[in-house]
Amino acid sequence: MTKNNPSKVENGRLLKVEVQKILTRIEGFDDITHGGLPQGRTTLVSGTAGTGKTLFALQFIYHGIIHFDESAVFVTFEESPTDIIKNALSCGWDLQHLMDAGKLFILDASPDPEGKILPVNLILSALIERIQ
């Protein structure tokens, strides 16, 4: 579901234009962002360890699948897919069921367990290929 949030600057004055928003259905978030995340744009969620980035992303994905019939790919760089599924279940989100239904794919893009350092372009190319 989307929502418009108009605003634009013209001649140094703030005017109104439509910005399509995607509702996240995350309690309080859609209110403080005036309708959710901007549609068709990349949104960076950043923060130090333990600030809720993974939970935010999983809740957004879960609600998108459950309420809006979307599909999703979740790429993890640190936690194992098993741990992510287990942690999400503690919040009441059955990711395994969504995976079994073909609505969610969790891609484990963790660094090489042997500790080999690979060139960034090789890692990115391989990751894009795996996502596709």
Side-chain angles (χ1 to χ4, degrees), residues 73-90:
V73 174
F74 183 90
V75 181
T76 176
F77 294 94
E78 293 180 6
E79 293 182 77
S80 72
T82 302
D83 287 345
I84 289 171
I85 293 166
K86 189 186 306 180
N87 292 341
L89 196 54
S90 73

Side-chain angles (χ1 to χ4, degrees), residues 5-127:
N5 183 14
S7 63
K8 161 180 155 177
V9 176
E10 185 177 292
N11 295 329
R13 296 187 59 181
L14 186 62
L15 303 175
K16 303 252 181 198
V17 290
E18 295 184 11
V19 174
Q20 294 288 320
K21 297 279 187 115
I22 299 171
L23 292 175
T24 65
R25 295 188 62 109
I26 296 173
E27 186 177 341
F29 184 81
D30 292 333
D31 293 331
I32 65 172
T33 58
H34 303 288
L37 297 172
Q39 182 177 359
R41 297 181 186 176
T42 301
T43 300
L44 174 66
V45 178
S46 68
T48 58
T51 57
K53 300 176 300 292
T54 299
L55 285 177
F56 180 89
L58 289 174
Q59 189 170 4
F60 176 69
I61 287 171
Y62 181 80
H63 286 304
I65 294 169
I66 297 299
H67 298 288
F68 305 116
D69 196 34
E70 295 286 345
S71 296
V73 174
F74 183 90
V75 181
T76 176
F77 294 94
E78 293 180 6
E79 293 182 77
S80 72
T82 302
D83 287 345
I84 289 171
I85 293 166
K86 189 186 306 180
N87 292 341
L89 196 54
S90 73
C91 295
W93 310 324
D94 188 352
L95 301 185
Q96 187 61 58
H97 172 73
L98 300 178
M99 293 171 67
D100 294 343
K103 299 298 285 179
L104 173 64
F105 180 75
I106 299 178
L107 174 62
D108 187 355
S110 301
D112 182 1
E114 296 176 12
K116 295 178 188 170
I117 298 175
L118 301 173
V120 173
N121 61 344
L122 178 61
I123 295 169
L124 185 57
S125 298
L127 178 59

